[in-house]
PDB file of all heavy atoms in Angstrom:
ATOM      1  N   PHE A 330       2.771   5.738 -14.771  1.00 96.00           N
ATOM      2  CA  PHE A 330       2.603   4.265 -14.602  1.00 96.00           C
ATOM      3  C   PHE A 330       1.180   3.792 -14.871  1.00 96.00           C
ATOM      4  O   PHE A 330       0.964   2.850 -15.629  1.00 96.00           O
ATOM      5  CB  PHE A 330       3.034   3.894 -13.175  1.00 96.00           C
ATOM      6  CG  PHE A 330       2.660   2.491 -12.731  1.00 96.00           C
ATOM      7  CD1 PHE A 330       3.249   1.413 -13.346  1.00 96.00           C
ATOM      8  CD2 PHE A 330       1.709   2.288 -11.767  1.00 96.00           C
ATOM      9  CE1 PHE A 330       2.941   0.090 -12.963  1.00 96.00           C
ATOM     10  CE2 PHE A 330       1.388   0.968 -11.375  1.00 96.00           C
ATOM     11  CZ  PHE A 330       1.961  -0.072 -11.987  1.00 96.00           C
ATOM     12  N   LEU A 331       0.225   4.466 -14.280  1.00 96.00           N
ATOM     13  CA  LEU A 331      -1.173   4.053 -14.431  1.00 96.00           C
ATOM     14  C   LEU A 331      -1.668   4.247 -15.866  1.00 96.00           C
ATOM     15  O   LEU A 331      -2.486   3.457 -16.378  1.00 96.00           O
ATOM     16  CB  LEU A 331      -2.088   4.807 -13.453  1.00 96.00           C
ATOM     17  CG  LEU A 331      -1.942   4.445 -11.980  1.00 96.00           C
ATOM     18  CD1 LEU A 331      -2.790   5.299 -11.071  1.00 96.00           C
ATOM     19  CD2 LEU A 331      -2.271   2.953 -11.771  1.00 96.00           C
ATOM     20  N   ARG A 332      -1.196   5.269 -16.538  1.00 95.00           N
ATOM     21  CA  ARG A 332      -1.575   5.472 -17.937  1.00 95.00           C
ATOM     22  C   ARG A 332      -0.951   4.376 -18.816  1.00 95.00           C
ATOM     23  O   ARG A 332      -1.594   3.865 -19.755  1.00 95.00           O
ATOM     24  CB  ARG A 332      -1.141   6.855 -18.463  1.00 95.00           C
ATOM     25  CG  ARG A 332      -1.957   8.012 -17.892  1.00 95.00           C
ATOM     26  CD  ARG A 332      -3.466   7.846 -18.081  1.00 95.00           C
ATOM     27  NE  ARG A 332      -3.831   7.523 -19.453  1.00 95.00           N
ATOM     28  CZ  ARG A 332      -4.078   8.408 -20.384  1.00 95.00           C
ATOM     29  NH1 ARG A 332      -3.994   9.695 -20.077  1.00 95.00           N
ATOM     30  NH2 ARG A 332      -4.430   8.101 -21.562  1.00 95.00           N
ATOM     31  N   ALA A 333       0.298   4.019 -18.506  1.00 94.00           N
ATOM     32  CA  ALA A 333       0.958   2.945 -19.258  1.00 94.00           C
ATOM     33  C   ALA A 333       0.256   1.583 -19.073  1.00 94.00           C
ATOM     34  O   ALA A 333       0.188   0.785 -19.963  1.00 94.00           O
ATOM     35  CB  ALA A 333       2.450   2.864 -18.830  1.00 94.00           C
ATOM     36  N   ILE A 334      -0.274   1.359 -17.848  1.00 94.00           N
ATOM     37  CA  ILE A 334      -1.004   0.121 -17.573  1.00 94.00           C
ATOM     38  C   ILE A 334      -2.271   0.064 -18.419  1.00 94.00           C
ATOM     39  O   ILE A 334      -2.718  -1.005 -18.798  1.00 94.00           O
ATOM     40  CB  ILE A 334      -1.327  -0.011 -16.080  1.00 94.00           C
ATOM     41  CG1 ILE A 334      -0.042  -0.299 -15.272  1.00 94.00           C
ATOM     42  CG2 ILE A 334      -2.359  -1.034 -15.781  1.00 94.00           C
ATOM     43  CD1 ILE A 334       0.485  -1.693 -15.451  1.00 94.00           C
ATOM     44  N   GLY A 335      -2.840   1.231 -18.690  1.00 93.00           N
ATOM     45  CA  GLY A 335      -4.015   1.279 -19.568  1.00 93.00           C
ATOM     46  C   GLY A 335      -5.199   2.022 -19.005  1.00 93.00           C
ATOM     47  O   GLY A 335      -6.237   2.099 -19.686  1.00 93.00           O
ATOM     48  N   TYR A 336      -5.111   2.558 -17.781  1.00 95.00           N
ATOM     49  CA  TYR A 336      -6.275   3.273 -17.227  1.00 95.00           C
ATOM     50  C   TYR A 336      -6.461   4.630 -17.871  1.00 95.00           C
ATOM     51  O   TYR A 336      -5.475   5.384 -18.049  1.00 95.00           O
ATOM     52  CB  TYR A 336      -6.086   3.438 -15.719  1.00 95.00           C
ATOM     53  CG  TYR A 336      -6.202   2.101 -14.986  1.00 95.00           C
ATOM     54  CD1 TYR A 336      -5.047   1.419 -14.598  1.00 95.00           C
ATOM     55  CD2 TYR A 336      -7.442   1.542 -14.727  1.00 95.00           C
ATOM     56  CE1 TYR A 336      -5.162   0.177 -13.991  1.00 95.00           C
ATOM     57  CE2 TYR A 336      -7.546   0.324 -14.111  1.00 95.00           C
ATOM     58  CZ  TYR A 336      -6.420  -0.354 -13.759  1.00 95.00           C
ATOM     59  OH  TYR A 336      -6.492  -1.606 -13.154  1.00 95.00           O
ATOM     60  N   PRO A 337      -7.699   4.979 -18.296  1.00 94.00           N
ATOM     61  CA  PRO A 337      -7.926   6.231 -19.027  1.00 94.00           C
ATOM     62  C   PRO A 337      -7.952   7.391 -18.068  1.00 94.00           C
ATOM     63  O   PRO A 337      -8.067   7.247 -16.831  1.00 94.00           O
ATOM     64  CB  PRO A 337      -9.338   6.020 -19.601  1.00 94.00           C
ATOM     65  CG  PRO A 337      -9.979   5.050 -18.665  1.00 94.00           C
ATOM     66  CD  PRO A 337      -8.914   4.140 -18.189  1.00 94.00           C
ATOM     67  N   PRO A 338      -7.743   8.647 -18.564  1.00 95.00           N
ATOM     68  CA  PRO A 338      -7.715   9.834 -17.726  1.00 95.00           C
ATOM     69  C   PRO A 338      -8.967  10.043 -16.899  1.00 95.00           C
ATOM     70  O   PRO A 338      -8.942  10.716 -15.863  1.00 95.00           O
ATOM     71  CB  PRO A 338      -7.543  10.996 -18.757  1.00 95.00           C
ATOM     72  CG  PRO A 338      -6.987  10.334 -19.965  1.00 95.00           C
ATOM     73  CD  PRO A 338      -7.543   8.957 -19.976  1.00 95.00           C
ATOM     74  N   SER A 339     -10.107   9.489 -17.341  1.00 96.00           N
ATOM     75  CA  SER A 339     -11.358   9.660 -16.630  1.00 96.00           C
ATOM     76  C   SER A 339     -11.491   8.815 -15.399  1.00 96.00           C
ATOM     77  O   SER A 339     -12.485   8.928 -14.638  1.00 96.00           O
ATOM     78  CB  SER A 339     -12.554   9.364 -17.574  1.00 96.00           C
ATOM     79  OG  SER A 339     -12.464   8.053 -18.053  1.00 96.00           O
ATOM     80  N   THR A 340     -10.538   7.954 -15.145  1.00 97.00           N
ATOM     81  CA  THR A 340     -10.625   7.022 -13.993  1.00 97.00           C
ATOM     82  C   THR A 340     -10.717   7.748 -12.678  1.00 97.00           C
ATOM     83  O   THR A 340     -10.000   8.722 -12.431  1.00 97.00           O
ATOM     84  CB  THR A 340      -9.355   6.112 -13.957  1.00 97.00           C
ATOM     85  OG1 THR A 340      -9.234   5.406 -15.240  1.00 97.00           O
ATOM     86  CG2 THR A 340      -9.430   5.097 -12.826  1.00 97.00           C
ATOM     87  N   LEU A 341     -11.657   7.313 -11.838  1.00 98.00           N
ATOM     88  CA  LEU A 341     -11.804   7.882 -10.511  1.00 98.00           C
ATOM     89  C   LEU A 341     -10.740   7.275  -9.586  1.00 98.00           C
ATOM     90  O   LEU A 341     -10.680   6.023  -9.431  1.00 98.00           O
ATOM     91  CB  LEU A 341     -13.245   7.605  -9.985  1.00 98.00           C
ATOM     92  CG  LEU A 341     -13.528   8.111  -8.582  1.00 98.00           C
ATOM     93  CD1 LEU A 341     -13.472   9.635  -8.498  1.00 98.00           C
ATOM     94  CD2 LEU A 341     -14.890   7.625  -8.106  1.00 98.00           C
ATOM     95  N   ILE A 342      -9.998   8.129  -8.958  1.00 98.00           N
ATOM     96  CA  ILE A 342      -8.909   7.634  -8.071  1.00 98.00           C
ATOM     97  C   ILE A 342      -9.118   8.276  -6.680  1.00 98.00           C
ATOM     98  O   ILE A 342      -9.090   9.492  -6.524  1.00 98.00           O
ATOM     99  CB  ILE A 342      -7.530   8.022  -8.600  1.00 98.00           C
ATOM    100  CG1 ILE A 342      -7.275   7.321  -9.980  1.00 98.00           C
ATOM    101  CG2 ILE A 342      -6.426   7.618  -7.647  1.00 98.00           C
ATOM    102  CD1 ILE A 342      -5.964   7.624 -10.612  1.00 98.00           C
ATOM    103  N   TYR A 343      -9.223   7.408  -5.706  1.00 98.00           N
ATOM    104  CA  TYR A 343      -9.287   7.849  -4.318  1.00 98.00           C
ATOM    105  C   TYR A 343      -7.865   7.833  -3.816  1.00 98.00           C
ATOM    106  O   TYR A 343      -7.159   6.805  -3.840  1.00 98.00           O
ATOM    107  CB  TYR A 343     -10.136   6.928  -3.465  1.00 98.00           C
ATOM    108  CG  TYR A 343     -10.153   7.266  -1.998  1.00 98.00           C
ATOM    109  CD1 TYR A 343     -11.020   8.216  -1.483  1.00 98.00           C
ATOM    110  CD2 TYR A 343      -9.242   6.675  -1.123  1.00 98.00           C
ATOM    111  CE1 TYR A 343     -11.002   8.576  -0.132  1.00 98.00           C
ATOM    112  CE2 TYR A 343      -9.222   7.036   0.223  1.00 98.00           C
ATOM    113  CZ  TYR A 343     -10.109   7.979   0.710  1.00 98.00           C
ATOM    114  OH  TYR A 343     -10.086   8.323   2.037  1.00 98.00           O
ATOM    115  N   VAL A 344      -7.378   8.993  -3.342  1.00 98.00           N
ATOM    116  CA  VAL A 344      -6.005   9.100  -2.858  1.00 98.00           C
ATOM    117  C   VAL A 344      -5.982   8.950  -1.299  1.00 98.00           C
ATOM    118  O   VAL A 344      -6.537   9.791  -0.603  1.00 98.00           O
ATOM    119  CB  VAL A 344      -5.407  10.450  -3.281  1.00 98.00           C
ATOM    120  CG1 VAL A 344      -3.941  10.545  -2.798  1.00 98.00           C
ATOM    121  CG2 VAL A 344      -5.444  10.637  -4.791  1.00 98.00           C
ATOM    122  N   ALA A 345      -5.381   7.848  -0.868  1.00 97.00           N
ATOM    123  CA  ALA A 345      -5.221   7.649   0.580  1.00 97.00           C
ATOM    124  C   ALA A 345      -3.796   8.078   0.938  1.00 97.00           C
ATOM    125  O   ALA A 345      -2.820   7.464   0.507  1.00 97.00           O
ATOM    126  CB  ALA A 345      -5.379   6.171   0.882  1.00 97.00           C
ATOM    127  N   SER A 346      -3.713   9.154   1.685  1.00 94.00           N
ATOM    128  CA  SER A 346      -2.401   9.649   2.000  1.00 94.00           C
ATOM    129  C   SER A 346      -2.495  10.680   3.136  1.00 94.00           C
ATOM    130  O   SER A 346      -3.585  11.149   3.478  1.00 94.00           O
ATOM    131  CB  SER A 346      -1.770  10.369   0.774  1.00 94.00           C
ATOM    132  OG  SER A 346      -2.374  11.581   0.546  1.00 94.00           O
ATOM    133  N   GLY A 347      -1.334  11.033   3.658  1.00 90.00           N
ATOM    134  CA  GLY A 347      -1.212  12.133   4.582  1.00 90.00           C
ATOM    135  C   GLY A 347      -0.992  13.373   3.764  1.00 90.00           C
ATOM    136  O   GLY A 347      -1.352  13.465   2.567  1.00 90.00           O
ATOM    137  N   GLU A 348      -0.350  14.369   4.349  1.00 92.00           N
ATOM    138  CA  GLU A 348      -0.065  15.628   3.631  1.00 92.00           C
ATOM    139  C   GLU A 348       1.071  15.411   2.596  1.00 92.00           C
ATOM    140  O   GLU A 348       2.186  15.014   2.963  1.00 92.00           O
ATOM    141  CB  GLU A 348       0.348  16.717   4.612  1.00 92.00           C
ATOM    142  CG  GLU A 348       0.540  18.044   3.967  1.00 92.00           C
ATOM    143  CD  GLU A 348       0.901  19.174   4.968  1.00 92.00           C
ATOM    144  OE1 GLU A 348       0.801  18.898   6.176  1.00 92.00           O
ATOM    145  OE2 GLU A 348       1.216  20.252   4.569  1.00 92.00           O
ATOM    146  N   ILE A 349       0.755  15.638   1.335  1.00 95.00           N
ATOM    147  CA  ILE A 349       1.741  15.415   0.257  1.00 95.00           C
ATOM    148  C   ILE A 349       2.815  16.486   0.339  1.00 95.00           C
ATOM    149  O   ILE A 349       2.556  17.677   0.465  1.00 95.00           O
ATOM    150  CB  ILE A 349       1.063  15.508  -1.150  1.00 95.00           C
ATOM    151  CG1 ILE A 349       0.003  14.346  -1.227  1.00 95.00           C
ATOM    152  CG2 ILE A 349       2.086  15.301  -2.238  1.00 95.00           C
ATOM    153  CD1 ILE A 349       0.487  12.990  -1.124  1.00 95.00           C
ATOM    154  N   TYR A 350       4.086  16.016   0.322  1.00 96.00           N
ATOM    155  CA  TYR A 350       5.206  16.975   0.389  1.00 96.00           C
ATOM    156  C   TYR A 350       5.290  17.764  -0.911  1.00 96.00           C
ATOM    157  O   TYR A 350       5.351  17.203  -2.003  1.00 96.00           O
ATOM    158  CB  TYR A 350       6.494  16.186   0.613  1.00 96.00           C
ATOM    159  CG  TYR A 350       7.703  17.092   0.905  1.00 96.00           C
ATOM    160  CD1 TYR A 350       7.669  17.941   2.038  1.00 96.00           C
ATOM    161  CD2 TYR A 350       8.812  17.111   0.093  1.00 96.00           C
ATOM    162  CE1 TYR A 350       8.738  18.744   2.356  1.00 96.00           C
ATOM    163  CE2 TYR A 350       9.926  17.911   0.439  1.00 96.00           C
ATOM    164  CZ  TYR A 350       9.858  18.732   1.524  1.00 96.00           C
ATOM    165  OH  TYR A 350      10.952  19.550   1.834  1.00 96.00           O
ATOM    166  N   GLY A 351       5.218  19.084  -0.801  1.00 95.00           N
ATOM    167  CA  GLY A 351       5.219  19.927  -1.987  1.00 95.00           C
ATOM    168  C   GLY A 351       3.806  20.438  -2.272  1.00 95.00           C
ATOM    169  O   GLY A 351       3.640  21.248  -3.139  1.00 95.00           O
ATOM    170  N   GLY A 352       2.831  19.896  -1.547  1.00 95.00           N
ATOM    171  CA  GLY A 352       1.426  20.358  -1.670  1.00 95.00           C
ATOM    172  C   GLY A 352       0.807  20.215  -3.021  1.00 95.00           C
ATOM    173  O   GLY A 352       1.109  19.307  -3.788  1.00 95.00           O
ATOM    174  N   ASP A 353      -0.049  21.156  -3.359  1.00 95.00           N
ATOM    175  CA  ASP A 353      -0.846  21.092  -4.593  1.00 95.00           C
ATOM    176  C   ASP A 353       0.050  21.164  -5.842  1.00 95.00           C
ATOM    177  O   ASP A 353      -0.253  20.528  -6.869  1.00 95.00           O
ATOM    178  CB  ASP A 353      -1.834  22.248  -4.683  1.00 95.00           C
ATOM    179  CG  ASP A 353      -2.957  22.073  -3.649  1.00 95.00           C
ATOM    180  OD1 ASP A 353      -3.160  20.957  -3.162  1.00 95.00           O
ATOM    181  OD2 ASP A 353      -3.641  23.072  -3.303  1.00 95.00           O
ATOM    182  N   ALA A 354       1.172  21.833  -5.756  1.00 95.00           N
ATOM    183  CA  ALA A 354       2.073  21.951  -6.895  1.00 95.00           C
ATOM    184  C   ALA A 354       2.554  20.574  -7.326  1.00 95.00           C
ATOM    185  O   ALA A 354       2.597  20.240  -8.520  1.00 95.00           O
ATOM    186  CB  ALA A 354       3.268  22.859  -6.610  1.00 95.00           C
ATOM    187  N   ARG A 355       2.955  19.741  -6.320  1.00 95.00           N
ATOM    188  CA  ARG A 355       3.425  18.399  -6.640  1.00 95.00           C
ATOM    189  C   ARG A 355       2.284  17.465  -7.010  1.00 95.00           C
ATOM    190  O   ARG A 355       2.440  16.607  -7.878  1.00 95.00           O
ATOM    191  CB  ARG A 355       4.229  17.838  -5.485  1.00 95.00           C
ATOM    192  CG  ARG A 355       5.023  16.588  -5.846  1.00 95.00           C
ATOM    193  CD  ARG A 355       6.393  16.518  -5.248  1.00 95.00           C
ATOM    194  NE  ARG A 355       7.284  17.514  -5.830  1.00 95.00           N
ATOM    195  CZ  ARG A 355       7.999  18.419  -5.113  1.00 95.00           C
ATOM    196  NH1 ARG A 355       7.851  18.437  -3.797  1.00 95.00           N
ATOM    197  NH2 ARG A 355       8.796  19.272  -5.665  1.00 95.00           N
TER     198      ARG A 355
END
Side-chain angles (χ1 to χ4, degrees):
F330 168 67
L331 290 176
R332 289 307 308 273
I334 288 288
Y336 290 98
S339 59
T340 302
L341 179 64
I342 298 180
Y343 176 85
V344 182
S346 72
E348 185 178 351
I349 300 299
Y350 190 59
D353 291 341
R355 191 140 292 127

